[in-house]
Amino acid sequence: MEPQPWPEPDPVVARAVRAKNYGRQVPLPVAVRDRLGELFPDGEFAQAFVMTGAAGWSPGRLALVTVFQMAENLTDRQAAEAVRDRLSWAYALGLDLADTGFDFTVLSQFRTRVVEHGLEEKVLDLSLARLVEQGLLKAGGKQRTDATHVVSVVRDLNRVELAGESVRAAVEVTTPHWVAAVLDVPGWARRHNTRIDTWRMPASATKREQLALTYGRDGFALLEAVYDPCSEHWLRKLPAVQTLRTVLLQNYTRTADRNGRLVTVRREKTEDGGAGLPPGHLRIASPYDTDTRWSAKRDTFWNGFKLHVSESCTDAPEKERTAPNLITNVATTASTVPGTKVLDGIHQQLQRRGLLPGEHYLDSGYPSADLIVKSRQTYGIALISPVLLDQSGQARENAGLQADAFTIDWKYQQVTCPQGQASSSWSPCTQHGYPMIVFAFTKPTCGPCPARESCTTSRRDFCQLTLNPRPLTEALRTARSEQAGRDWQDVYALRSGVEGTIRQALAVTDSRRARYRGLAKTHLEHVYSAVALNLIRLNAWWNGRPLDRRHTSHLARLELALAA
């Protein structure tokens, strides 16, 4: 690839586009080329391509094709056909009428190169930088963030199916002759010659348990053959073999019986966490996508990822706005990652782009005491978000004294209870890896106290409470007192608008279901979808028309179509 400037729109194509859209709004690709010009220069992708060999298609224009593909929710084949057939796309890409385009597989190869060289964020960085130049985005102001679940592209498997399919996936990447020569397992061909989803699982729980153990024994037998000194060493390095090893380790144990024979046993959930299943964030859910994870949120249970979308926003009336709301960041994580683990990374990305907000509106799943303090001290951001209230038994039952009722003297390291009694000890410590402070009262003080039952539910004869360090405790108390007021609720109402952005992403780009396997390529999809949504919003802004978020239901659209 030799970086070259994009050619100007072909005059013949330009005249045809203008003639066909005379008196109408030009299509999105035409508006993007006219307003933004060469949006993704080839040189920005140079590190992903070599300078020798056969000439390939311009990576910058392939990036723009991928953005248009997301904007219309097209497959690779449909996008390649649009490059050949549509005048608006030819105009945006600078192609003439005789250009034959490219084979649809080029798009897959382009995505692979982009992911392998860590350039997933490049198109969003370039487009946001252009919008900053045009005065449509700037640092400070207000932004809001929300998340939604994303279903992976692979089939959902239960534990029995996962074990069987992991064995079959490992066999598929080896040579058939080698498997036949080294394995002599009864019923092997019948169990592993076809995909798991081509036949039904046994209805009996006993038979399903027997099948699960059989799959486990088959997997261990295959691994023993792979790691046999006589086997080829390259077999051990196959990703499918390593995935099988992990699946077996997570779902089975092997113990020796009285005769010294190895017995395969399934792992089960245990109260004490003995030989049970590993945590959900570590458990592989599919041999074909080792990044996807099972997760649950309220009534939703899914296998996939999470998408976090941040956008600029304003509470100014629509007539006074100088720019549309635009997506400034997208983050894709495993489905088991909580929002508190994502927020600092979002701020780092916004800081890298020079788009840190002054106020960040979030739901209660994102902030913590540490993040409230860190966001203000490190990034100068005020988190506008409801924080979790006191989780003590008294607070949950709305009875008795809560922790906020105790007065803290940080200078003299002493706490005074509502009855006027002072604590006897102040002990800094570490709990779950975080610094904490434990203070306690004496038995003679708490024992005869008339408010003891409303103060603590402990069976001990004295009260003991745990505090965060001073900055975190004061931040939490301030946030809890502020969010109780009506004025704060009115301000926080601005956050709800991000749900419309999530709805637009699902309706326009079908972000609910991942197109590709793996976390990296799924994130690439979300980044290009975000750029596509920004261009759609800009096009509506340029033409002075309201944004169509496609809230109309499928049934309503069908009724409108029938009526027409």
Side-chain angles (χ1 to χ4, degrees):
M1 190 274 291
E2 296 181 3
Q4 298 289 340
W6 292 13
E8 290 298 319
D10 182 82
V12 177
V13 174
R15 285 196 299 271
V17 167
R18 303 302 178 192
K20 288 180 176 294
N21 294 281
Y22 181 76
R24 303 188 184 94
Q25 296 176 0
V26 296
L28 172 66
V30 177
V32 169
R33 184 61 192 264
D34 289 342
R35 298 265 186 170
L36 302 178
E38 184 181 355
L39 191 54
F40 309 127
D42 289 345
E44 298 290 341
F45 300 88
Q47 68 184 81
F49 297 85
V50 295
M51 303 300 293
T52 60
W57 240 70
S58 160
R61 288 191 280 177
L62 285 176
L64 187 61
V65 169
T66 306
V67 170
F68 292 158
Q69 175 187 7
M70 298 300 173
E72 301 188 29
N73 195 21
L74 303 178
T75 64
D76 287 355
R77 192 183 297 272
Q78 290 171 332
E81 291 175 353
V83 172
R84 290 191 296 270
D85 297 343
R86 297 191 189 180
L87 287 175
S88 59
W89 286 42
Y91 180 92
L93 298 170
L95 305 179
D96 57 36
L97 293 178
D99 197 290
T100 58
F102 52 83
D103 187 78
F104 72 95
T105 57
V106 171
L107 289 173
S108 176
Q109 297 168 6
F110 168 73
R111 291 192 299 268
T112 300
R113 284 182 177 271
V114 168
V115 168
E116 288 177 347
H117 291 81
L119 299 175
E120 300 97 324
E121 300 275 346
K122 182 62 70 175
V123 292
L124 186 57
D125 292 342
L126 293 172
S127 61
L128 293 178
R130 183 65 57 83
L131 298 180
V132 169
E133 291 176 2
Q134 297 191 358
L136 296 173
L137 273 176
K138 61 181 180 179
K142 302 176 181 180
Q143 293 188 30
R144 53 196 178 194
T145 298
D146 200 7
T148 187
H149 67 280
V150 177
V151 180
S152 64
V153 72
V154 295
R155 181 178 181 271
D156 294 341
L157 301 173
N158 59 38
R159 289 180 60 199
V160 179
E161 294 171 330
L162 173 62
E165 194 62 26
S166 296
V167 176
R168 199 188 73 83
V171 172
E172 286 292 316
V173 297
T174 62
T175 58
H177 300 293
W178 175 83
V179 175
V182 300
L183 289 179
D184 184 16
V185 179
W188 177 276
R190 177 176 54 83
R191 288 191 297 272
H192 302 294
N193 275 0
T194 58
R195 292 173 58 92
I196 291 293
D197 58 354
T198 59
W199 52 276
R200 289 191 176 187
M201 297 291 292
S204 168
T206 302
K207 291 184 177 180
R208 288 198 301 270
E209 181 68 20
Q210 292 175 350
L211 182 61
L213 294 175
T214 301
Y215 282 147
R217 288 190 288 267
D218 289 349
F220 284 116
L222 179 60
L223 288 182
E224 288 175 357
V226 168
Y227 283 89
D228 188 276
C230 298
S231 298
E232 297 289 342
H233 288 276
W234 61 268
L235 292 170
R236 306 172 191 179
K237 300 179 181 180
L238 293 172
V241 171
Q242 297 303 318
T243 300
L244 175 60
R245 288 186 61 194
T246 305
V247 169
L248 294 178
L249 177 64
Q250 293 178 346
N251 290 277
Y252 297 93
T253 60
R254 299 183 85 187
T255 57
D257 61 10
R258 295 180 179 178
N259 299 322
R261 293 176 301 183
L262 291 176
V263 178
T264 301
V265 181
R266 293 184 76 193
R267 293 182 182 269
E268 300 295 345
K269 295 180 180 178
T270 59
E271 296 295 334
D272 58 357
L277 295 170
H281 69 278
L282 297 176
R283 257 182 278 162
I284 290 178
S286 170
Y288 305 110
D289 187 348
T290 56
D291 293 330
T292 183
R293 295 290 184 269
W294 284 103
S295 188
K297 183 177 181 180
R298 292 189 286 272
D299 296 333
T300 305
F301 186 55
W302 79 100
N303 178 22
F305 310 94
K306 275 184 184 177
L307 167 62
H308 304 260
V309 179
S310 303
E311 69 168 354
S312 61
C313 61
T314 178
D315 52 3
E318 188 171 353
K319 293 182 179 179
E320 300 177 8
R321 296 179 182 178
T322 58
N325 295 335
L326 296 169
I327 297 174
T328 56
N329 187 76
V330 289
T332 310
T333 67
S335 61
T336 53
V337 177
T340 52
K341 300 293 185 181
V342 183
L343 184 58
D344 190 58
I346 293 174
H347 288 162
Q348 290 177 13
Q349 288 285 66
L350 293 174
Q351 184 181 48
R352 181 178 61 82
R353 297 184 176 117
L355 292 174
L356 281 174
E359 296 179 355
H360 200 169
Y361 291 74
L362 307 154
D363 65 23
S364 59
Y366 286 96
S368 65
D370 181 55
L371 287 172
I372 292 174
V373 174
K374 182 178 180 180
S375 297
R376 183 171 291 279
Q377 292 181 349
T378 306
Y379 306 107
I381 300 175
L383 299 186
I384 312 299
S385 170
V387 298
L388 294 178
L389 300 178
D390 189 352
Q391 296 300 302
S392 64
Q394 296 95 322
R396 289 195 300 268
E397 296 175 4
N398 198 24
L401 300 175
Q402 302 179 20
D404 290 351
F406 290 76
T407 304
I408 307 171
D409 188 332
W410 296 100
K411 181 178 180 180
Y412 294 101
Q413 298 185 347
Q414 197 170 60
V415 177
T416 304
C417 76
Q419 299 297 316
Q421 301 294 331
S423 61
S424 61
S425 65
W426 178 287
S427 305
C429 63
T430 300
Q431 295 183 0
H432 307 292
Y434 296 95
M436 304 294 286
I437 301 170
V438 177
F439 65 89
F441 296 81
T442 61
K443 291 183 180 180
T445 300
C446 291
C449 180
R452 182 178 178 278
E453 292 185 359
S454 62
C455 179
T456 179
T457 58
S458 173
R459 296 181 179 180
R460 295 174 294 187
D461 295 333
F462 62 92
C463 174
Q464 177 177 297
L465 283 85
T466 302
L467 288 175
N468 287 298
R470 181 175 183 174
L472 307 189
T473 299
E474 292 180 346
L476 278 178
R477 290 192 171 190
T478 301
R480 287 169 180 168
S481 62
E482 288 178 349
Q483 70 189 43
R486 182 58 185 269
D487 292 341
W488 185 92
Q489 297 290 339
D490 293 339
V491 171
Y492 181 66
L494 182 63
R495 189 212 69 88
S496 61
V498 72
E499 296 176 1
T501 299
I502 297 290
R503 175 66 181 86
Q504 185 190 18
L506 303 185
V508 176
T509 65
D510 195 21
S511 297
R512 172 72 75 227
R513 295 187 174 275
R515 285 172 172 252
Y516 318 117
R517 289 183 287 185
L519 181 62
K521 283 195 174 181
T522 302
H523 179 56
L524 177 143
E525 173 195 348
H526 293 157
V527 169
Y528 279 75
S529 296
V531 177
L533 294 176
N534 277 347
L535 295 183
I536 291 173
R537 293 179 170 203
L538 286 168
N539 193 37
W541 177 267
W542 291 330
N543 291 293
R545 57 180 173 82
L547 181 65
D548 178 16
R549 295 183 186 271
R550 299 191 184 182
H551 281 293
T552 309
S553 67
H554 295 295
L555 180 59
R557 286 198 293 270
L558 177 61
E559 291 176 347
L560 291 173
L562 293 175

